[in-house]
Amino acid sequence: MAPWPYRTVATVLLSPDFYRPFFLSTLICVAWYTTIIRLTRSTITSTRQKAWVLTLLSSLVMIIVGSRMTLDFILLPTNATIADLPSLDSPLAWALSAFFLAYLAVDVVIGTRFYPDQFGFISGWVHHLGYAYCVFSLLQRAQIGSFLAFGAILELSTVPLALGHIDKRMRRDWVFGGLFFVTRVVFHAYVVYHAISVYHRSWYWIVPTLPWPLHVHWFLQWVKQQRRLKKKQLATSTSTAVAAAVPVQRSKKDE
Protein backbone atom coordinates (compact mmCIF):
# COMPACT_ATOMS: atom_id res chain seq x y z
CA MET A 1 0.00 0.00 0.00
CA ALA A 2 1.35 3.45 -0.97
CA PRO A 3 2.32 5.66 1.98
CA TRP A 4 0.56 8.63 0.41
CA PRO A 5 -2.76 8.84 -1.44
CA TYR A 6 -2.57 9.66 -5.13
CA ARG A 7 -5.20 11.66 -7.02
CA THR A 8 -5.57 11.76 -10.78
CA VAL A 9 -5.31 15.02 -12.71
CA ALA A 10 -9.08 14.99 -13.28
CA THR A 11 -9.77 14.46 -9.60
CA VAL A 12 -7.80 17.58 -8.70
CA LEU A 13 -9.14 19.76 -11.51
CA LEU A 14 -12.78 18.80 -10.91
CA SER A 15 -12.64 19.27 -7.16
CA PRO A 16 -14.60 22.36 -5.95
CA ASP A 17 -11.76 22.95 -3.49
CA PHE A 18 -9.57 23.62 -6.52
CA TYR A 19 -11.56 25.09 -9.41
CA ARG A 20 -13.58 27.58 -7.34
CA PRO A 21 -10.55 29.38 -5.80
CA PHE A 22 -8.66 28.97 -9.09
CA PHE A 23 -11.22 30.88 -11.15
CA LEU A 24 -11.73 33.48 -8.42
CA SER A 25 -7.96 33.97 -8.11
CA THR A 26 -7.66 34.37 -11.88
CA LEU A 27 -10.17 37.21 -11.78
CA ILE A 28 -8.40 38.80 -8.82
CA CYS A 29 -5.00 38.68 -10.56
CA VAL A 30 -6.35 40.22 -13.76
CA ALA A 31 -8.25 42.91 -11.83
CA TRP A 32 -5.19 43.68 -9.69
CA TYR A 33 -2.86 44.11 -12.68
CA THR A 34 -5.36 46.17 -14.67
CA THR A 35 -6.20 48.45 -11.74
CA ILE A 36 -2.60 49.08 -10.68
CA ILE A 37 -1.47 49.84 -14.23
CA ARG A 38 -4.35 52.26 -14.79
CA LEU A 39 -3.90 54.05 -11.47
CA THR A 40 -0.14 54.42 -11.93
CA ARG A 41 0.08 54.94 -15.69
CA SER A 42 2.29 58.00 -15.19
CA THR A 43 4.82 56.18 -12.99
CA ILE A 44 4.73 52.52 -14.04
CA THR A 45 5.74 52.85 -17.67
CA SER A 46 8.56 50.40 -18.33
CA THR A 47 8.17 46.68 -18.90
CA ARG A 48 10.58 46.07 -16.02
CA GLN A 49 8.18 47.79 -13.62
CA LYS A 50 5.10 46.06 -15.01
CA ALA A 51 6.73 42.63 -14.65
CA TRP A 52 6.72 42.98 -10.84
CA VAL A 53 3.09 44.03 -10.33
CA LEU A 54 1.66 40.50 -10.25
CA THR A 55 4.68 39.23 -8.32
CA LEU A 56 3.93 41.72 -5.55
CA LEU A 57 0.33 40.48 -5.28
CA SER A 58 1.40 36.84 -5.24
CA SER A 59 3.96 37.44 -2.49
CA LEU A 60 1.52 39.35 -0.29
CA VAL A 61 -1.18 36.68 -0.59
CA MET A 62 1.28 33.84 0.00
CA ILE A 63 2.63 35.53 3.13
CA ILE A 64 -0.69 36.57 4.63
CA VAL A 65 -2.55 33.32 3.98
CA GLY A 66 0.39 30.95 4.23
CA SER A 67 1.75 32.28 7.52
CA ARG A 68 -0.71 30.02 9.37
CA MET A 69 0.86 26.96 7.73
CA THR A 70 4.35 28.20 8.51
CA LEU A 71 3.37 28.54 12.15
CA ASP A 72 1.95 25.01 12.11
CA PHE A 73 5.31 23.77 10.83
CA ILE A 74 7.34 25.68 13.43
CA LEU A 75 5.16 24.30 16.24
CA LEU A 76 5.54 20.68 15.15
CA PRO A 77 7.05 18.41 17.84
CA THR A 78 10.73 17.60 17.43
CA ASN A 79 10.23 14.09 16.08
CA ALA A 80 7.09 14.86 14.05
CA THR A 81 7.03 14.24 10.32
CA ILE A 82 5.43 16.27 7.59
CA ALA A 83 2.45 13.91 7.81
CA ASP A 84 1.65 15.52 11.18
CA LEU A 85 1.22 18.98 9.69
CA PRO A 86 -2.41 20.05 10.39
CA SER A 87 -2.66 21.96 7.11
CA LEU A 88 -1.01 19.28 4.99
CA ASP A 89 -4.10 18.75 2.80
CA SER A 90 -6.57 21.26 4.20
CA PRO A 91 -9.10 23.32 2.17
CA LEU A 92 -7.02 26.41 2.97
CA ALA A 93 -3.94 24.75 1.49
CA TRP A 94 -5.92 23.86 -1.63
CA ALA A 95 -7.22 27.42 -1.98
CA LEU A 96 -3.76 28.96 -1.62
CA SER A 97 -2.21 26.53 -4.08
CA ALA A 98 -5.04 27.26 -6.54
CA PHE A 99 -4.29 30.98 -6.18
CA PHE A 100 -0.59 30.38 -6.84
CA LEU A 101 -1.33 28.35 -9.95
CA ALA A 102 -3.74 31.04 -11.15
CA TYR A 103 -1.04 33.66 -10.63
CA LEU A 104 1.42 31.62 -12.68
CA ALA A 105 -1.12 31.21 -15.49
CA VAL A 106 -2.09 34.90 -15.55
CA ASP A 107 1.55 35.99 -15.44
CA VAL A 108 2.28 33.82 -18.49
CA VAL A 109 -0.59 35.34 -20.48
CA ILE A 110 -0.04 38.95 -19.40
CA GLY A 111 3.73 38.66 -19.38
CA THR A 112 4.04 37.41 -22.94
CA ARG A 113 1.72 40.23 -24.05
CA PHE A 114 2.77 43.29 -22.02
CA TYR A 115 6.35 42.62 -20.85
CA PRO A 116 7.77 39.91 -23.13
CA ASP A 117 11.33 41.21 -22.78
CA GLN A 118 11.12 40.51 -19.02
CA PHE A 119 9.53 37.09 -19.42
CA GLY A 120 12.63 35.07 -20.20
CA PHE A 121 12.99 31.38 -20.90
CA ILE A 122 14.46 30.54 -17.51
CA SER A 123 12.83 33.20 -15.32
CA GLY A 124 9.52 32.83 -17.14
CA TRP A 125 8.70 29.52 -18.78
CA VAL A 126 11.01 27.20 -16.84
CA HIS A 127 10.29 28.89 -13.50
CA HIS A 128 6.51 28.98 -13.93
CA LEU A 129 6.06 25.54 -15.45
CA GLY A 130 8.42 24.02 -12.90
CA TYR A 131 6.51 25.48 -9.96
CA ALA A 132 3.17 24.57 -11.52
CA TYR A 133 4.27 20.95 -11.87
CA CYS A 134 5.57 20.89 -8.29
CA VAL A 135 2.39 22.38 -6.79
CA PHE A 136 0.03 20.21 -8.83
CA SER A 137 2.00 17.06 -8.01
CA LEU A 138 1.80 17.82 -4.30
CA LEU A 139 -1.95 18.35 -4.63
CA GLN A 140 -2.19 14.91 -6.19
CA ARG A 141 -0.20 13.42 -3.32
CA ALA A 142 -2.07 15.28 -0.54
CA GLN A 143 1.11 17.05 0.59
CA ILE A 144 0.62 20.60 -0.68
CA GLY A 145 0.70 22.05 2.85
CA SER A 146 4.36 21.09 3.18
CA PHE A 147 5.29 23.26 0.19
CA LEU A 148 3.17 26.20 1.33
CA ALA A 149 4.39 26.11 4.94
CA PHE A 150 7.94 26.39 3.65
CA GLY A 151 7.39 28.62 0.63
CA ALA A 152 5.10 31.25 2.14
CA ILE A 153 7.64 32.63 4.60
CA LEU A 154 10.33 32.75 1.90
CA GLU A 155 8.25 35.32 0.02
CA LEU A 156 8.90 37.97 2.70
CA SER A 157 12.02 39.23 0.92
CA THR A 158 10.19 39.37 -2.41
CA VAL A 159 7.90 42.19 -1.21
CA PRO A 160 10.61 44.89 -0.83
CA LEU A 161 12.30 43.54 -3.96
CA ALA A 162 9.11 43.95 -6.00
CA LEU A 163 8.37 47.40 -4.53
CA GLY A 164 11.90 48.54 -5.36
CA HIS A 165 11.55 47.44 -8.97
CA ILE A 166 8.13 49.05 -9.34
CA ASP A 167 9.22 52.37 -7.80
CA LYS A 168 12.87 53.18 -7.06
CA ARG A 169 11.77 55.51 -4.28
CA MET A 170 10.57 52.44 -2.36
CA ARG A 171 13.85 50.57 -2.80
CA ARG A 172 15.23 49.39 0.55
CA ASP A 173 18.29 47.23 -0.03
CA TRP A 174 18.97 46.49 3.63
CA VAL A 175 15.36 45.52 4.32
CA PHE A 176 15.51 43.10 1.42
CA GLY A 177 18.89 41.73 2.48
CA GLY A 178 17.83 41.31 6.10
CA LEU A 179 14.62 39.48 5.22
CA PHE A 180 16.42 37.34 2.65
CA PHE A 181 19.02 36.29 5.23
CA VAL A 182 16.46 35.50 7.95
CA THR A 183 14.09 33.56 5.70
CA ARG A 184 16.04 32.06 2.80
CA VAL A 185 19.27 31.38 4.67
CA VAL A 186 18.51 30.94 8.40
CA PHE A 187 14.93 29.59 8.29
CA HIS A 188 15.75 27.47 5.27
CA ALA A 189 18.70 26.02 7.17
CA TYR A 190 16.30 25.09 9.99
CA VAL A 191 14.02 23.37 7.47
CA VAL A 192 16.98 21.42 6.10
CA TYR A 193 18.01 20.39 9.62
CA HIS A 194 14.44 19.28 10.38
CA ALA A 195 14.23 17.30 7.13
CA ILE A 196 17.55 15.53 7.66
CA SER A 197 16.67 14.73 11.29
CA VAL A 198 13.29 13.24 10.41
CA TYR A 199 13.92 11.74 6.97
CA HIS A 200 17.58 10.67 7.20
CA ARG A 201 16.62 7.13 6.17
CA SER A 202 14.82 8.24 3.00
CA TRP A 203 15.38 10.70 0.17
CA TYR A 204 12.76 13.27 1.30
CA TRP A 205 15.39 15.48 2.96
CA ILE A 206 17.03 16.12 -0.44
CA VAL A 207 14.07 18.15 -1.74
CA PRO A 208 14.32 21.13 0.68
CA THR A 209 18.11 20.84 0.81
CA LEU A 210 18.87 21.39 -2.87
CA PRO A 211 17.88 25.10 -3.09
CA TRP A 212 19.64 26.15 0.13
CA PRO A 213 23.20 26.47 -1.29
CA LEU A 214 21.76 28.62 -4.09
CA HIS A 215 20.12 30.93 -1.54
CA VAL A 216 23.43 31.23 0.32
CA HIS A 217 25.18 32.02 -2.97
CA TRP A 218 22.62 34.71 -3.83
CA PHE A 219 22.99 36.28 -0.39
CA LEU A 220 26.78 36.41 -0.69
CA GLN A 221 26.41 38.00 -4.13
CA TRP A 222 24.10 40.60 -2.61
CA VAL A 223 26.68 41.37 0.09
CA LYS A 224 29.35 41.86 -2.58
CA GLN A 225 27.00 44.13 -4.52
CA GLN A 226 26.35 46.27 -1.44
CA ARG A 227 30.09 46.59 -0.82
CA ARG A 228 30.66 47.74 -4.40
CA LEU A 229 27.84 50.26 -4.12
CA LYS A 230 29.25 51.56 -0.83
CA LYS A 231 32.71 52.03 -2.34
CA LYS A 232 31.19 53.78 -5.34
CA GLN A 233 29.23 56.14 -3.09
CA LEU A 234 32.34 56.95 -1.06
CA ALA A 235 34.34 57.61 -4.23
CA THR A 236 31.60 59.87 -5.59
CA SER A 237 31.35 61.77 -2.30
CA THR A 238 35.12 62.29 -2.22
CA SER A 239 35.22 63.52 -5.82
CA THR A 240 32.36 65.94 -5.14
CA ALA A 241 34.08 67.31 -2.05
CA VAL A 242 37.35 67.84 -3.94
CA ALA A 243 35.59 69.49 -6.85
CA ALA A 244 33.77 71.84 -4.50
CA ALA A 245 37.02 72.82 -2.78
CA VAL A 246 38.99 73.64 -5.95
CA PRO A 247 37.23 76.95 -6.81
CA VAL A 248 37.74 78.15 -3.25
CA GLN A 249 41.47 77.47 -3.40
CA ARG A 250 41.80 79.26 -6.74
CA SER A 251 39.90 82.30 -5.52
CA LYS A 252 42.25 82.67 -2.54
CA LYS A 253 45.24 82.39 -4.82
CA ASP A 254 43.86 85.02 -7.12
CA GLU A 255 43.45 87.40 -4.19
Side-chain angles (χ1 to χ4, degrees), residues 67-243:
S67 59
R68 169 63 183 275
M69 302 175 203
T70 303
L71 183 61
D72 287 342
F73 170 74
I74 295 174
L75 296 178
L76 281 177
T78 305
N79 296 324
T81 67
I82 202 65
D84 300 311
L85 192 67
S87 52
L88 185 64
D89 195 41
S90 67
L92 180 63
W94 274 67
L96 187 55
S97 61
F99 165 82
F100 186 66
L101 290 173
Y103 150 71
L104 294 175
V106 172
D107 196 42
V108 168
V109 175
I110 293 181
T112 53
R113 173 66 179 84
F114 295 104
Y115 39 89
D117 59 319
Q118 301 296 315
F119 198 84
F121 177 73
I122 300 297
S123 62
W125 293 105
V126 174
H127 176 274
H128 285 31
L129 291 176
Y131 267 110
Y133 174 78
C134 177
V135 170
F136 201 87
S137 296
L138 289 172
L139 280 171
Q140 289 181 287
R141 291 167 175 78
Q143 301 178 56
I144 186 60
S146 61
F147 169 82
L148 298 174
F150 173 48
I153 194 67
L154 299 189
E155 290 299 310
L156 276 174
S157 61
T158 306
V159 174
L161 182 64
L163 289 173
H165 279 86
I166 293 173
D167 189 339
K168 290 184 178 180
R169 294 172 298 180
M170 293 188 286
R171 179 171 174 171
R172 299 292 185 272
D173 287 349
W174 288 99
V175 174
F176 164 76
L179 290 174
F180 190 97
F181 178 75
V182 171
T183 58
R184 297 188 180 240
V185 177
V186 178
F187 179 73
H188 196 160
Y190 167 73
V191 172
V192 171
Y193 170 77
H194 174 84
I196 293 176
S197 300
V198 176
Y199 298 110
H200 60 278
R201 294 184 179 181
S202 69
W203 57 270
Y204 287 121
W205 63 270
I206 299 177
V207 177
T209 303
L210 286 176
W212 188 74
L214 183 61
H215 288 171
V216 174
H217 171 72
W218 285 344
F219 179 74
L220 293 176
Q221 291 298 109
W222 176 83
V223 171
K224 291 180 181 179
Q225 178 198 51
Q226 293 304 304
R227 287 177 176 175
R228 288 196 301 268
L229 291 174
K230 190 65 175 178
K231 289 181 180 179
K232 186 176 180 179
Q233 290 175 355
L234 289 174
T236 302
S237 300
T238 302
S239 299
T240 303
V242 171

